[in-house]
Amino acid sequence: MDAVILCGGKGTRLAPALLPGLPKCMARVNGEPFIDIFLRGLRQQRLFSTFVFCTGYGADVVEAHLGNTFWDGEADISTRLYFSREPEQMGAGYAVLNAARAGYITTDPFFVFNGDTFCATDYLALFNAHMDAETAATVALGIGGIASEWARDNAGAFVLGHEALEVMEKMPVPFSLENVLARVDVAAVSMANRYYDIGTPESLRAFQEFHGTLIR
């Protein structure tokens, strides 16, 4: 299964907690980059054999870091790692399309993750829910998520079919993932855990506290 990870955000609101030139996904959490914690959670589920990182701001930093740390003995030899770089930010939806056009997305469906959110979620259950729903897209909502208001709620994981890619091909740039999902049938699945978004210094501290309880 392909996992597409959006990790090109500049993190303007998070700037006070970031070193200059670092993208949001590289924010330090209890001594390590957030992206490492995020990926550890994905890889432990053994569901994904391909990881596609959509990079933008700070792409050199992200690509160098992941290129050096991803192959740490946890990944199966068949795991594939790709970087899909955007020369300029044209929206998260376009970032996914850019990766598909490069040939990096081959499974149908595939997962898309916001690389600045974390949720202890059973992604196999989300995949099964998507297959049962028979929709072009499925959105995972955290605790308290409201299906009719998913775009404004705490969502950070999506399952998309290739029908969604066909819609993207017809959209003017720039466009967001929300723009795409407004044009296809979407199922929403409530998950049992909270989504943590590290987009602000306050939300980063909240995740640091949560992560601290996990490692103690």
Side-chain angles (χ1 to χ4, degrees), residues 14 17-18 22-29 32-35 198 204:
L14 190 60
L18 284 173
L22 283 185
K24 185 164 42 173
C25 68
M26 292 293 290
R28 306 293 289 189
V29 177
E32 63 180 323
F34 173 83
I35 192 67
I198 64 161
L204 176 61

Side-chain angles (χ1 to χ4, degrees), residues 4-11 18-28 33-39 43 51-71 81-86 89 113-116 198:
V4 179
I5 301 157
L6 303 169
C7 53
K10 186 174 183 179
L18 284 173
L19 293 174
L22 283 185
K24 185 164 42 173
C25 68
M26 292 293 290
R28 306 293 289 189
F34 173 83
I35 192 67
D36 290 5
I37 300 168
F38 170 81
L39 288 174
R43 293 169 66 183
F51 293 84
V52 183
F53 298 94
C54 296
T55 59
Y57 177 79
D60 289 338
V61 176
V62 176
E63 293 171 15
H65 173 74
L66 292 174
N68 289 328
T69 62
F70 196 88
W71 309 110
L81 181 68
Y82 299 115
F83 296 106
S84 177
R85 186 186 294 205
E86 284 187 279
Q89 291 189 337
F113 297 96
N114 288 326
D116 59 355
I198 64 161

Side-chain angles (χ1 to χ4, degrees), residues 114-159:
N114 288 326
D116 59 355
T117 62
F118 179 93
C119 184
T121 296
D122 182 346
Y123 291 113
L124 178 58
L126 178 59
F127 169 80
N128 289 332
H130 172 78
M131 299 304 291
D132 290 342
E134 298 183 345
T135 54
T138 299
V139 180
L141 301 178
I143 291 174
I146 302 172
S148 62
E149 299 181 355
W150 67 265
R152 298 185 298 279
D153 214 298
N154 49 346
F158 311 84
V159 188

